[in-house]
Amino acid sequence: MHRILLLGGGGREHALASAIVNSPSCDQLFVAPGNAGTAAIARNVSISNTDFPAIDQFCKDQSIRQIIVGPELPLVEGIYDYFKESDIRVLGPSKKASQLEGSKDFANAFMAKYNIPTAASRSFTADQESEGLAYIKEHSLPIVLKADGLAAGKGVLIIDDHIAASTAFSEMLHGKFGKASETVVIEKFLSGIEFSVFILTDGKDYVLLPEAKDYKRIGEGDTGLNTGGMGSISPVPFFDDVLRQKVLDQIIEPTLTGIQQEGLDYKGFIFFGLILVDNEPYVIEYNCRMGDPETESVFPRIESDFLSLVDSVYNGTLDQQNIRISQDYCTTVFLVSGGYPEAYKKGLPMQIPSLTSQNQFVFHAGTRSTDSGEILTNGGRVIACTSRGQSMEDALALCYDSAAKIDFTGKFYRRDIGFDLK
Ligand code: AMP
Ligand code: GLY
């Protein structure tokens, strides 16, 4: 029986927590810091995700032997390595392997070495600024500039003008994103439809999880500012057998070959952010964790016992796992707070009525409960309304039913999730 600590506090973690507590081998689940949703199914604890000694002490006090990591920061800061010599298992890659997400320069060099299709790119540091500016001058438009390191989802700029790109490039090298942009990657722009593919791996074998598509922009028709994600859909209708095989052969298999040849310690999720250009898949980015809001649509489709999959990562039996995936569609519509992704209010009282269909799920993200049991908003992305249905339209209809019934002042959501797939 497992006593587990899950790190994170968003919709992704509420969806993961639901899968964990539904496993017959879950004895007790703790979530740090969690939200009002995880509080209802597990025990929330207020420990920082990157305070490894405090996490260690808590695990010892509570006889916890398994940590599951939601967000990237603890991974990139080395939580796997911290616990490597202990009897506490961490689901997630080592600090070095997390560089696949934590350094775009590292990821691009890895993809070049293992022949994994991605955009042509070059990296520059401040002492190579003039070479970088000359490179921009000759570059086709638009130009993609990326901070090498983690920049809270803001480190990618797509600029349609050479002069503006040069200015932005110099600003990045001189501190725009702090240490994250001490190295800047200049990349060719790829035009196509994006989708996300996920695996759970022990670094050698893997299981393919359901794929998904997310909707990042605040506005309908994919317009306006980027957000942490306004909705998601799984399966992706154009991810047919031919495309799946291409992704397996050209992207997933060579990535695992590279992981082994580089001697990277990788026990966890890989999230392949892909783009389809002329029917060929290219990698836009690697992430060393599950996506949010993709997890909310992906995990309810997994019928296999999640903790049994996790056990397989450690005992070398992943290749024997025959993961069962529901054929149903799952869709997610995010309710966000008015003003998000710019300034918004927190602490707004919420009404969450019980929903009529068992195919409607409510995954909390930015919420918290008060001592008196009231639920308040506690972030910009507040609630993921996820639903299951036999078609995308059926699932979305239930999402919009939830979205209309759950209420707080200033609630906003996109009414066109899936618009480009119909
Ligand atoms: P982020 O999730 O913040 O890394 O944002 C990355 C987003 O920038 C991707 O989802 C794409 O929409 C876009 N992007 C990144 N690299 C490229 C590229 N080479 N060509 C076109 N779009 C890109
Ligand atoms: N949905 C994109 C991400 O989790 O990074």
Side-chain angles (χ1 to χ4, degrees):
M1 291 299 277
H2 287 294
R3 295 171 64 75
I4 295 181
L5 175 63
L6 171 66
L7 300 184
R12 167 182 51 207
E13 286 74 23
H14 191 187
L16 289 172
S18 302
I20 293 167
V21 299
N22 280 335
S23 167
S25 69
C26 178
D27 178 14
Q28 174 137 34
L29 174 66
F30 299 87
V31 189
N35 55 39
T38 62
I41 58 171
R43 221 181 97 193
N44 286 353
V45 287
S46 59
I47 307 176
S48 155
N49 278 337
T50 49
D51 186 347
F52 302 154
I55 292 171
D56 193 11
Q57 192 57 52
F58 182 76
C59 289
K60 286 186 176 127
D61 293 347
Q62 294 290 342
S63 308
I64 292 166
R65 295 278 175 277
Q66 177 75 60
I67 299 173
I68 296 180
V69 185
E72 62 277 14
L73 193 59
L75 295 167
V76 172
E77 293 201 355
I79 190 166
Y80 177 89
D81 308 66
Y82 186 92
F83 287 99
K84 194 171 174 188
E85 303 305 329
S86 78
D87 59 356
I88 297 168
R89 310 191 301 205
V90 173
L91 189 72
S94 68
K95 184 171 184 169
K96 176 124 193 259
S98 304
Q99 294 297 296
L100 285 172
E101 173 165 3
S103 165
K104 299 203 186 285
D105 187 32
F106 178 93
N108 284 339
F110 177 92
M111 287 187 274
K113 184 164 173 187
Y114 293 98
N115 259 321
I116 298 162
T118 188
S121 70
R122 276 186 63 186
S123 303
F124 300 91
T125 51
D127 56 354
Q128 301 164 313
E129 186 171 356
S130 54
E131 284 163 72
L133 290 169
Y135 185 68
I136 288 177
K137 228 175 178 174
E138 303 299 320
H139 204 286
S140 58
L141 293 174
I143 294 171
V144 181
L145 299 175
K146 295 187 174 180
D148 173 54
L150 295 183
K154 298 187 167 44
V156 177
L157 303 179
I158 298 176
I159 304 182
D160 218 353
D161 161 342
H162 285 105
I163 294 174
S166 302
T167 308
F169 171 71
S170 293
E171 282 172 4
M172 286 172 86
L173 283 180
H174 298 289
K176 185 176 167 95
F177 299 106
K179 261 186 90 60
S181 63
E182 279 177 359
T183 298
V184 175
V185 177
I186 302 178
E187 208 167 273
K188 188 167 169 349
F189 179 80
L190 298 177
S191 178
I193 189 159
E194 290 180 55
F195 62 109
S196 307
V197 170
F198 307 91
I199 63 169
L200 179 66
T201 183
D202 58 9
K204 184 166 131 303
D205 297 311
Y206 66 94
V207 291
L208 182 66
L209 305 179
E211 76 287 353
K213 184 170 194 311
D214 78 338
Y215 292 82
K216 290 190 211 288
R217 302 293 196 95
I218 188 74
E220 286 171 14
D222 284 341
T223 54
L225 294 174
N226 252 324
T227 71
M230 297 296 290
S232 63
I233 291 207
S234 179
V236 173
F238 61 82
F239 191 69
D240 56 15
D241 290 345
V242 175
L243 179 55
R244 177 180 291 103
Q245 201 57 49
K246 284 183 183 173
V247 169
L248 295 178
D249 294 344
Q250 297 166 23
I251 293 169
I252 296 179
E253 294 286 350
T255 297
L256 287 165
T257 302
I259 284 174
Q260 284 160 63
Q261 292 198 4
E262 298 298 309
L264 299 175
D265 213 348
Y266 207 118
K267 292 183 175 52
F269 298 107
I270 305 181
F271 164 165
F272 301 86
L274 306 180
I275 188 165
L276 195 61
V277 183
D278 296 332
N279 279 321
E280 295 299 324
Y282 289 77
V283 177
I284 288 272
E285 62 177 356
Y286 286 113
N287 294 308
C288 58
R289 50 162 177 93
M290 285 301 295
D292 194 346
E294 290 94 333
T295 305
E296 291 89 316
S297 293
V298 164
F299 262 69
R301 294 189 57 222
I302 301 176
E303 290 172 344
S304 303
D305 171 6
F306 175 52
L307 290 185
S308 146
L309 294 174
V310 172
D311 283 336
S312 291
V313 168
Y314 300 95
N315 58 26
T317 54
L318 258 189
D319 60 332
Q320 293 156 34
Q321 283 280 0
N322 212 342
I323 185 170
R324 292 188 316 280
I325 308 283
S326 157
Q327 297 300 307
D328 286 343
Y329 270 84
C330 273
T331 59
T332 296
V333 172
F334 238 102
L335 307 186
V336 304
S337 210
Y340 175 81
E342 297 184 282
Y344 58 85
K345 291 199 178 105
K346 280 190 196 177
L348 303 165
M350 302 180 62
Q351 282 77 46
I352 308 181
S354 36
L355 299 166
T356 42
S357 165
Q358 58 178 19
N359 288 325
Q360 286 168 299
F361 312 105
V362 175
F363 294 126
H364 289 231
T367 69
R368 69 182 175 89
S369 30
T370 63
D371 293 342
S372 59
E374 211 188 352
I375 298 182
L376 305 179
T377 71
N378 194 34
R381 290 162 76 238
V382 177
I383 288 264
C385 301
T386 296
S387 303
R388 185 165 56 198
Q390 286 189 352
S391 67
M392 186 164 76
E393 287 72 15
D394 288 353
L396 281 167
L398 288 175
C399 289
Y400 287 117
D401 177 70
S402 312
K405 288 178 177 155
I406 298 172
D407 212 18
F408 53 90
T409 305
K411 170 183 78 176
F412 174 78
Y413 55 96
R414 271 179 65 167
R415 288 153 207 266
D416 70 339
I417 299 303
F419 75 99
D420 52 342
L421 301 177
K422 287 179 181 161

